[in-house]
Amino acid sequence: MTSLSRELVFLILQFLDEEKYKDTVHRLELESGYYFNMRYFEELVTNGEWDEVEKYLSGFSKLEDNRYSMKIFFEIRKQKYLEALDKRDRAKAVDILVKDLKVFAGFNEDLFKEITLLLTLDDFRANEQLSKYGDTKSARGVMFGELKKLIEANPLFRDKLQFPVLKSSRLRTLINQSLNWQHQLCKNPRPNPDIRSLFLDHTCNQPNQPNGARAASPGTNHLMGGGVPKMAGFHPLSAHGLFQPAPGPGGLPANLSGWMPNPSVVPHPAAASSGPIGLGSPNNTGAILKRPQTPSGPIPMEYQTADSNHVSKRSRPYGTSEEGGNIPVNILPVTYAGHPHPHGHNTLSPDDLPKVVVTTLAQGSPVMSMDFHPIQQILLLVGTIGGDVFLWDLGARQRITEKGFDVWKLDACTKELQASLNADVTASVNHVAWSPDGTLFGVAYSKSIVHIYGFNGGSDIRNHLEIEAHTGSVSHLAFSFPNKQLSVVTCGDDRTIKVWDAVTGDKLFTFEGHEAPVFSVCPHFKENIQFVFSTATDGKIKAWLYDNVGSRVDYDAPGQSSTRMAYSSDGTRLFSCGTNKEGESFLVEWNESEGSIKRTYLGLGQRAAGIVQFDTTRNRFLAAGDESTIKIWDMDNTNPLTTIHADGGLPASPCVRFNREGILLAVSTNDHGVRILATDDGIRLLRTAENRSFTPVMKVPAGGGFGSSSANAGITMADRASSFSAMENNEVRTLVDGKPRIADDLGERSRTCKVTEITEPSQCCSLRLADNVAVTKISKLIYTNSGSGVLALASNAVHKLWKWQKNDHNLAGKATASAQPVLWQPPSGIMMMTNETSDSNPEEAIPCFALSKNDSYVMSASGGKISLFNMMTFKTMTTFMPPPPAATFLAFHPLDNNIIAIGMEDSSIQIYNVRTDEVKTKLNGHQKRITGLAFSQALNILVSSGADSQLCVWSMDGWEKQSSKYLQVQHGRSLPAVADTRVQFHLDQIHLLVVHETQIATYDAQKLDWLMQWFRREATGPITSATYSCDSQSIFVSFENGSVDVLTASNLRLRCRINPTAYLPPNPSSRVYPLVIAAHPSETNQFAVGLNNGAVHVVEPSETEGKWGISPPLENGAPPADN
C-alpha cells in the first residue's frame, strides 16, 4: 500500500473513532496493521478476552516471527493457563496446555514439562517461581506491563505505536475543501449550493441532475466508495469560495460555527454585498485568494508539512507565498496550519526563551499595557496607570517620547465627558497597541477617549485621531483590516464594541449584545472572513462579523472570568487567559471548530490579586504573569515548562509582552518599571542597535489607508525638505517640491559625513563556503527564510544549498561567517538539484528562481522548462512551461501558492495557474525581456521591470496596467540599450527599490513617483546587484570592481565601503567580483555574495564594530534620534 493510502487509513480511523464506530475502528487497525492501539490492547488483557487478544495481535505479528513475538504469545497463553488452574478447571487447563502451550515444547522442552507438572499441584503457587502470583486482576496488570515492554522492543511494532498528530475531523476538512474546489470549477457557480451527496461530483451548471451533482467520470478515484450514514454536518459552500472550508451558519467561518448553540442556516441579508466579511466570498477571484488550499485529484506523492505564517511575520522582499502540504505532479505546495515545520520549527527548548535581564526602564507609575513595534523590534510602547504613554528605544536605553493624558479638543466632547473632566482631569491608560504596519499606535483611556497617533520614525509622533469612543472607560482596542480598510476596534464600560475608520475616525459599526462591560476584543481573519471576538466581565464570549446582524457566538469563558483572547503568531491556534472575581485564573486553548476547550493549562495560582495577563511567542510558548513570576508553557503540554523570576521584584500579576521574534520579553515591575529580558539573539540585536540612529523610516500614505495587515514600516523620502550632497562622486538626487535637482550645492554639514573604508581582512568577517562542485559563476543567490542556509543557482543550471548546523559555537544554527556550513546532500542520494536547459549554451541562459516561504520548495529555471524541486529531498516534483520563450524571472503570488508570475524572454509576463496548468492572462507592456517582478499585497499590485529600463505597475485584481515609467537618466548620460533592472519592495510594501547597472533609485509604487537616485562612481564599474537589508534600513550594493557599498536606505547616503581586499583572497591572475548579493533574513548587517568564479562568501562586520559604518545625521540640522 502506498504512503498516501496509508495516511488515508489513518484519516478513516480518526473519522470512525469520532463517529463512535468502536468495533469498526479496531477491525481496521487489525486488518491494516498500521496502528497498534495499546490502550485497546490493555483493555482486552485487563478483561481477559484472550481470543480477542490473540486475534488483535495476529494483525501485527505471528508467534514464530521473532523471539519477542514468541515471548508475547507465551505470556498470554501462560496467563490463560494459570487462570484456569486457579479456578480449579483442570479440564480447561489441559485443553490450553495441549492446544496452546504445546507449540512451545519444540523451543524449550524443559519449560513445557515444568508447566505440565503444575497440573499435579493443588495450588500452583507452591511452585517457587509462581509463589508471588496474586489475584487475577493484579496478575493481568503485571503481565500487561511485561507485554508492553516486549511490544515496544519488538521491531515489528516500530512506527505502529503512535497515531499521527491530526487536527480534529481532518477527513471532513479535506472533503469540504474538495467540495469547495469542485464548486469553484463550476462554470456558473451559484451562491450557497446545497450539497447533499458525496457519491457524485458537484456541479452547478446541470440543473437536471439531482442535488446539483453530475456523474463521476470513469477515471475518478473515489476516496470514499460507500454510504456513510453519520456523515452529516458538511456546511453549505460560500458563494464563489475559492477552496476555503465552508462558512458556518450565518456567514461565520466553519471554524467558528461550532461555537453556536443553535445555529441558523439562513444567511443574513448583507451577504451578497459585504465582500469578505459576509456569508460569501467576493466575486472578484483575484481579490479573494487569501490562502492556499488542498488540491483534488490523485496525488502520487508523500505528504509534506509546513508551518504557515501569520500576517505579523516578516515577509520576504520579493512577494512569496505560503507553501507546504502535499504536492501533486502539477500543483504547488499548500499550507496546513498547525503542522510542524520540516526544518526544526518545533525543536525550540526553554533555553530559547528570553531569560537574561538586560535593562530596567523607569515608568513613573504602575504599568498597565505594553506592545513592541511590529517592525522595529527594539521599540517598546508602554502605557501606565498615571495616564502616560512612553515610547522606548531599547537599543539606546532611551525614552524617545512621552505623551500624557490630554484632551485635544475639549469643546468637541459630550457634556457628560466635559463634566467628568472638569471634576477630575486625570485618566489611566487601559491599553496600547501598534497597527500591523507600525505607522500608527492607539491608546485606550479610562475616560471615554481613544487617541490614535501617527508614527513616522524617531521622535516624529503626531496626533492623528481623538475619538470619544465609549461612555465610561475604554477597556481595550485593537487594529483590524476589514474590506482592505484599516480600522480600530474598541470596547468599553457601555457594553458595546465599536469599529472606527483609522484614517477618518468615522464610526463604521456598533456591536451590541453584551450584558456587562466589555473587557477585551480580539479581531482576526480566516479564509477571507474577518471577525471579532469580544469578552465581557461577566465571562461571556461573543463573536461578530463586520455587519449589523448581531453576535454569532454566545459562550462562557472558563470560570466566568474576565478574559483576554489571542492567537498564536501564525494565526492557527486560539488561546485565552483570565481571572474571575474569586481570584481563580484560567489559561486554555480553544477548539474553534467545536467552540470547546481543547486543553486547560495547569499551574496558575488560584488567588490572583489582579487579572492575569498572557502572551504567545514563536508558535510554541505561552507566558503568563502570575504569582510575581513569569510562567511558561509549551503550547502542546498542559504542565508548566519553566518559571522565569526576572531577578525578582515583580508585582503579583505582572504585564508580559514578547517582541515579534520572541527574543525580547518585557515585564512590569513592582517599582513602576519595565524589565527587559533577552535571548542571545536578543542581546545581539540590542548590541547592534545600541548606537544606531532611528531616522524617520515610515510614512503614512496620504489620502489612503495606513497599509495592510501584512504591511511593514516604510521609508519617508518624498517629504524631505532638502536634498543630499554628492559624496566621493556618488551622486544622490531627490525630489524637493516635486522638482529633481543635483545636490552639489548643499551646506558643508552634509558633506562632512565620514565614510567608513574597510580594506583589510581584519576589519570584517568573511567566509568562503566550502564547495566540492566546480561551477563557473553564481547567477542567483538567496538565504533560506529560516536564516540557517544559503541557496545558490549557478550558470550551469546546478543548485547548491549550504546549511549551518547547531553546535556549542552556533547555538541558533543561523548562517554566520564564523562557522563553516555543510554543503547539503539529502538522504535521497540525489547529489544536486539541476534545471533543464535549452539546446543552446546554458551559460547564456537567464537563470531565475523563487523560494517558498517555508524553505521546502524552490521553483527554478535556466533557459529550459521551469522545475519545482523539493528542498528536503532534491527531487524534481514537476516541470512545466517549455521554451520558447524561456522564463527569465519568477515570483509567487503573495496570496495563492498556485498562481505564479513568470517574466519571459519575449518581454511578456504570464500569470500562470499551476494547479490547472493554464495561463490565466498575459501582460504586455515591456519592449525587452523581464528582469524583475515584485508583488505588494498592501497595494494589491505587481511591479515589473525589464531590460528596457522600464517599470510597469499592474493591478492584481484584473491584471490591467495602471502606470509605467522609464528610469530617470542622469544629465549628460544615457542608459544602455539592454540592461537588467531589478525591483524590490521595502518592508512597508509601498516604497520600491530599483536597481540598475548605472544607479540605485527609490519610488513610491502607488504612482511610480520617483523619490531619489544614487549614481555609481565611474571607478567602481557597473552595479552588479543590490538588495535591502532585512530591516530595510540599509542597502547593500555590489560592483564590478569587487567592492560592496552600504547605503542608508532613508536617504541613499553612502556610509561604508567594503573593498575586495577585505573579503576576497588575492587572485592576481583573474578579476573576481560579485554577480549577486543577498541579505540575511534576520541579521541586519550580514550579506552573502555570489562571485563570477563560482564561489559564495558570507560577510559581516567584525565583532568589535558590530555594524557597517555610522549612519549619517539627519538633514535640516535635526540630530539623530539617539543623540
Side-chain angles (χ1 to χ4, degrees):
M1 189 176 283
T2 67
S3 175
L4 286 186
S5 299
R6 183 175 184 273
E7 293 190 358
L8 179 57
V9 170
F10 282 113
L11 295 179
I12 295 172
L13 284 172
Q14 182 197 43
F15 169 75
L16 293 173
D17 183 66
E18 291 174 342
E19 295 296 309
K20 310 302 181 185
Y21 292 111
K22 296 298 182 184
D23 293 339
T24 310
V25 167
H26 303 313
R27 179 70 179 268
L28 182 55
E29 291 168 352
L30 163 65
E31 292 187 352
S32 68
Y34 286 153
Y35 173 61
F36 185 84
N37 191 328
M38 189 70 77
R39 183 174 298 178
Y40 173 63
F41 182 68
E42 181 181 10
E43 180 182 319
L44 294 177
V45 171
T46 302
N47 294 335
E49 300 177 43
W50 304 119
D51 291 342
E52 289 299 319
V53 166
E54 290 206 19
K55 181 179 178 181
Y56 190 71
L57 272 173
S58 67
F60 303 89
S61 175
K62 300 294 186 292
L63 181 149
E64 65 277 3
D65 283 343
N66 57 42
R67 61 189 180 92
Y68 297 102
S69 298
M70 182 177 295
K71 177 68 170 172
I72 290 169
F73 279 93
F74 175 75
E75 291 296 332
I76 292 170
R77 295 177 182 184
K78 183 185 74 172
Q79 178 65 27
K80 183 167 58 169
Y81 177 63
L82 294 178
E83 289 185 13
L85 290 175
D86 207 26
K87 294 177 181 177
R88 305 289 195 273
D89 190 345
R90 294 185 179 275
K92 184 176 180 180
V94 170
D95 187 63
I96 294 171
L97 183 69
V98 173
K99 292 182 178 179
D100 295 334
L101 289 171
K102 190 173 183 179
V103 67
F104 297 101
F107 301 99
N108 191 333
E109 188 174 354
D110 292 339
L111 177 62
F112 180 71
K113 289 180 179 179
E114 187 174 358
I115 291 175
T116 304
L117 289 175
L118 296 178
L119 288 168
T120 64
L121 302 176
D122 291 334
D123 185 350
F124 61 82
R125 293 173 181 82
N127 182 293
E128 183 179 354
Q129 297 183 46
L130 298 174
S131 60
K132 294 183 179 181
Y133 185 96
D135 59 14
T136 298
K137 182 178 179 181
S138 62
R140 289 175 181 175
V142 171
M143 184 193 67
F144 174 75
E146 293 299 318
L147 292 179
K148 184 177 180 182
K149 293 177 182 178
L150 290 168
I151 290 170
E152 291 172 344
N154 194 331
L156 295 176
F157 289 83
R158 288 176 186 165
D159 302 325
K160 296 180 180 181
L161 299 178
Q162 294 292 330
F163 197 86
V165 178
L166 301 174
K167 284 196 169 184
S168 61
S169 305
R170 179 62 182 156
L171 185 59
R172 289 178 181 271
T173 301
L174 291 174
I175 293 174
N176 264 330
Q177 292 171 337
S178 175
L179 294 175
N180 275 279
W181 196 312
Q182 292 176 29
H183 182 61
Q184 191 271 337
L185 294 178
C186 292
K187 293 182 179 179
N188 299 294
R190 296 199 303 268
N192 307 312
D194 186 10
I195 299 177
R196 299 180 181 177
S197 174
L198 300 178
F199 296 156
L200 303 173
D201 286 351
H202 163 71
T203 182
C204 291
N205 60 354
Q206 296 184 21
N208 58 319
Q209 291 285 348
N211 298 328
R214 58 180 170 83
S217 64
T220 302
N221 295 320
H222 290 284
L223 293 181
M224 305 186 68
V228 185
K230 295 185 181 182
M231 193 82 165
F234 292 101
H235 304 297
L237 294 122
S238 59
H240 306 281
L242 224 71
F243 326 145
Q244 71 260 27
L252 203 63
N255 57 324
L256 294 181
S257 58
W259 291 58
M260 299 187 62
N262 296 298
S264 167
V265 297
V266 181
H268 60 78
S273 61
S274 58
I277 60 173
L279 175 63
S281 300
N283 292 333
N284 188 335
T285 58
I288 65 174
L289 297 171
K290 281 291 181 188
R291 281 180 182 261
Q293 301 295 339
T294 310
S296 60
I299 305 174
M301 305 201 64
E302 294 187 5
Y303 287 114
Q304 307 291 339
T305 60
D307 181 40
S308 64
N309 290 278
H310 190 241
V311 293
S312 63
K313 286 193 173 181
R314 185 187 63 83
S315 59
R316 270 210 170 266
Y318 294 93
T320 57
S321 54
E322 299 174 7
E323 266 78 50
N326 36 356
I327 313 296
V329 170
N330 65 335
I331 295 185
L332 278 177
V334 295
T335 296
Y336 297 118
H339 289 293
H341 194 287
H343 294 286
H345 171 80
N346 284 332
T347 60
L348 297 172
S349 72
D351 294 335
D352 297 305
L353 290 163
K355 293 183 178 180
V356 178
V357 175
V358 292
T359 189
T360 300
L361 310 171
Q363 310 299 318
S365 62
V367 172
M368 298 292 290
S369 178
M370 300 179 292
D371 198 17
F372 278 95
H373 193 280
I375 310 304
Q376 297 186 36
Q377 297 185 65
I378 60 172
L379 298 186
L380 177 66
L381 190 65
V382 181
T384 70
I385 200 170
D388 295 315
V389 178
F390 302 103
L391 179 59
W392 291 89
D393 173 358
L394 302 183
R397 275 69 163 176
Q398 289 185 353
R399 183 188 301 165
I400 295 177
T401 191
E402 174 184 356
K403 298 286 183 181
F405 176 68
D406 181 30
V407 179
W408 303 341
K409 296 181 179 180
L410 185 60
D411 56 352
C413 298
T414 60
K415 293 182 179 180
E416 292 78 7
L417 179 56
Q418 290 185 38
S420 174
L421 293 171
N422 287 331
D424 182 5
V425 296
T426 63
S428 65
V429 174
N430 284 334
H431 194 72
V432 295
W434 288 100
S435 65
D437 61 0
T439 60
L440 299 174
F441 65 83
V443 185
Y445 289 101
S446 61
K447 284 193 176 178
S448 303
I449 294 293
V450 167
H451 280 161
I452 308 296
Y453 294 91
F455 177 61
N456 290 334
S459 59
D460 187 3
I461 298 174
R462 303 171 185 175
N463 297 352
H464 177 58
L465 289 175
E466 180 174 77
I467 304 171
E468 186 176 345
H470 297 271
T471 302
S473 180
V474 184
S475 307
H476 201 250
L477 67 81
F479 289 88
S480 66
F481 209 75
N483 293 326
K484 298 183 180 180
Q485 181 180 13
L486 186 63
S487 303
V488 182
V489 184
T490 65
C491 62
D493 281 354
D494 58 4
R495 305 180 181 182
T496 65
I497 302 99
K498 297 181 182 180
V499 183
W500 313 84
D501 187 308
V503 177
T504 65
D506 294 338
K507 185 167 65 177
L508 305 177
F509 300 99
T510 299
F511 303 145
E512 297 179 329
H514 277 291
E515 297 178 357
V518 185
F519 181 67
S520 71
V521 288
C522 177
H524 195 58
F525 75 92
K526 283 202 172 183
E527 316 303 344
N528 274 0
I529 299 179
Q530 303 269 353
F531 53 91
V532 181
F533 281 116
S534 62
T535 69
T537 56
D538 61 358
K540 292 294 183 182
I541 299 174
K542 295 181 181 290
W544 319 77
L545 298 183
Y546 291 89
D547 54 29
N548 296 310
V549 175
S551 169
R552 304 305 211 282
V553 162
D554 189 356
Y555 217 73
D556 291 327
Q560 304 292 311
S561 56
S562 294
T563 294
R564 288 188 176 94
M565 309 184 81
Y567 279 87
S568 57
S569 56
D570 62 6
T572 62
R573 302 175 69 172
L574 177 62
F575 303 90
S576 72
C577 183
T579 305
N580 61 18
K581 296 177 182 179
E582 289 73 35
E584 299 172 315
S585 298
F586 304 87
L587 177 61
V588 302
E589 180 179 4
W590 292 90
N591 185 331
E592 291 181 86
S593 62
E594 299 177 2
S596 60
I597 293 174
K598 184 175 182 179
R599 56 172 58 89
T600 299
Y601 297 92
L602 308 176
L604 283 177
Q606 297 305 301
R607 296 191 178 186
I611 296 173
V612 171
Q613 297 194 30
F614 83 116
D615 200 6
T616 72
T617 186
R618 299 193 178 193
N619 301 311
R620 178 65 183 275
F621 299 116
L622 298 167
D626 184 45
E627 296 183 316
S628 300
T629 63
I630 307 165
K631 297 179 179 179
I632 305 291
W633 290 262
D634 185 307
M635 290 180 176
D636 297 322
N637 193 324
T638 58
N639 293 313
L641 179 65
T642 187
T643 298
I644 301 173
H645 295 279
D647 291 353
L650 306 185
S653 301
C655 300
V656 292
R657 191 69 172 168
F658 289 99
N659 74 341
R660 187 188 63 194
E661 298 296 335
I663 59 178
L664 298 177
L665 172 61
V667 58
S668 60
T669 64
N670 260 331
D671 56 358
H672 307 167
V674 171
R675 193 161 291 158
I676 305 300
L677 290 75
T679 64
D680 289 343
D681 287 339
I683 294 172
R684 190 180 306 113
L685 173 66
L686 294 175
R687 185 184 303 126
T688 300
E690 189 169 357
N691 296 314
R692 190 177 72 189
S693 168
F694 279 90
T695 56
V697 294
M698 285 168 290
K699 180 182 179 180
V700 177
F706 288 80
S708 73
S709 57
S710 63
N712 297 317
I715 302 177
T716 299
M717 294 179 288
D719 58 353
R720 300 293 189 185
S722 61
S723 303
F724 308 104
S725 65
M727 297 193 60
E728 297 186 312
N729 297 321
N730 292 278
E731 297 175 358
V732 179
R733 302 173 70 193
T734 186
L735 290 180
V736 183
D737 299 327
K739 299 177 182 179
R741 92 187 227 206
I742 300 292
D744 290 320
D745 58 344
L746 291 184
E748 285 299 317
R749 185 192 59 81
S750 61
R751 289 196 178 96
T752 59
C753 180
K754 182 175 177 60
V755 175
T756 301
E757 287 278 352
I758 296 179
T759 58
E760 300 295 330
S762 60
Q763 294 178 277
C764 67
C765 298
S766 174
L767 175 69
R768 174 170 178 164
L769 305 189
D771 190 358
N772 56 11
V773 180
V775 296
T776 55
K777 60 183 180 181
I778 301 298
S779 301
K780 291 289 180 180
L781 191 70
I782 193 172
Y783 280 88
T784 59
N785 291 279
S786 65
S788 61
V790 170
L791 176 66
L793 173 58
S795 58
N796 64 349
V798 171
H799 299 77
K800 299 181 184 182
L801 175 62
W802 289 270
K803 289 186 177 182
W804 276 259
Q805 307 298 310
K806 288 187 177 182
N807 54 48
D808 293 340
H809 303 291
N810 187 9
L811 297 177
K814 299 290 187 180
T816 174
S818 60
Q820 186 67 245
V822 175
L823 183 61
W824 178 253
Q825 292 180 348
S828 65
I830 301 174
M831 300 296 291
M832 293 289 169
M833 297 179 286
T834 305
N835 284 332
E836 294 186 12
T837 57
S838 61
D839 296 333
S840 59
N841 184 1
E843 297 284 343
E844 298 176 357
I846 309 295
C848 54
F849 66 15
L851 181 64
S852 68
K853 188 173 290 185
N854 60 28
D855 299 333
S856 293
Y857 303 93
V858 62
M859 188 173 293
S860 182
S862 296
K865 290 182 180 179
I866 301 172
S867 300
L868 178 67
F869 296 100
N870 185 315
M871 288 271 285
M872 291 174 280
T873 64
F874 285 6
K875 292 180 180 179
T876 304
M877 316 303 289
T878 185
T879 59
F880 55 96
M881 280 275 184
T888 56
F889 206 92
L890 299 169
F892 288 106
H893 192 292
L895 299 174
D896 188 341
N897 296 327
N898 294 317
I899 306 298
I900 57 173
I902 307 174
M904 309 300 287
E905 196 172 29
D906 66 354
S907 78
S908 68
I909 303 165
Q910 299 195 19
I911 307 302
Y912 179 73
N913 189 319
V914 183
R915 176 181 58 80
T916 60
D917 191 23
E918 64 177 353
V919 177
K920 293 170 62 70
T921 189
K922 188 174 181 179
L923 312 180
N924 293 297
H926 289 275
Q927 307 304 314
K928 295 183 173 64
R929 70 171 184 268
I930 303 302
T931 58
L933 296 168
F935 283 99
S936 169
Q937 185 176 344
L939 300 179
N940 202 36
I941 60 173
L942 167 67
V943 176
S944 61
S945 60
D948 55 1
S949 302
Q950 184 185 190
L951 306 176
C952 294
V953 178
W954 314 85
S955 167
M956 285 164 56
D957 287 339
W959 300 110
E960 69 276 2
K961 185 162 75 170
Q962 293 183 341
S963 59
S964 64
K965 185 171 291 187
Y966 284 91
L967 295 186
Q968 299 282 343
V969 184
Q970 190 177 9
H971 181 69
R973 300 182 185 180
S974 61
L975 293 172
V978 178
D980 284 0
T981 306
R982 298 295 166 84
V983 287
Q984 179 185 1
F985 271 103
H986 186 280
L987 281 177
D988 66 357
Q989 298 264 300
I990 295 172
H991 294 96
L992 186 73
L993 174 67
V994 179
V995 181
H996 188 269
E997 68 175 51
T998 64
Q999 62 182 273
I1000 300 294
T1002 53
Y1003 287 76
D1004 184 329
Q1006 297 176 93
K1007 298 180 181 178
L1008 274 188
D1009 288 337
W1010 168 55
L1011 302 178
M1012 285 194 297
Q1013 282 177 298
W1014 181 89
F1015 291 95
R1016 64 175 176 83
R1017 297 177 302 147
E1018 292 295 337
T1020 64
I1023 295 170
T1024 59
S1025 183
T1027 182
Y1028 275 124
S1029 62
C1030 63
D1031 60 358
S1032 293
Q1033 300 295 308
S1034 303
I1035 301 173
F1036 302 121
V1037 188
S1038 61
F1039 297 90
E1040 205 169 274
N1041 73 340
S1043 64
V1044 176
D1045 284 359
V1046 183
L1047 310 181
T1048 298
S1050 59
N1051 52 27
L1052 296 190
R1053 288 253 187 97
L1054 174 65
R1055 72 170 187 263
C1056 182
R1057 174 168 298 122
I1058 308 163
N1059 290 282
T1061 55
Y1063 73 96
L1064 295 178
N1067 189 354
S1069 62
S1070 63
R1071 186 166 62 99
V1072 178
Y1073 59 90
L1075 290 175
V1076 61
I1077 192 166
H1080 192 283
S1082 58
E1083 296 291 338
T1084 57
N1085 288 288
Q1086 186 187 127
F1087 62 85
V1089 290
L1091 306 180
N1092 64 332
N1093 67 353
V1096 174
H1097 286 250
V1098 170
V1099 186
E1100 50 191 10
S1102 65
E1103 292 186 5
T1104 56
E1105 293 296 329
K1107 59 184 178 180
W1108 299 114
I1110 300 174
S1111 296
L1114 294 177
E1115 64 279 9
N1116 298 332
D1122 60 348
N1123 287 345

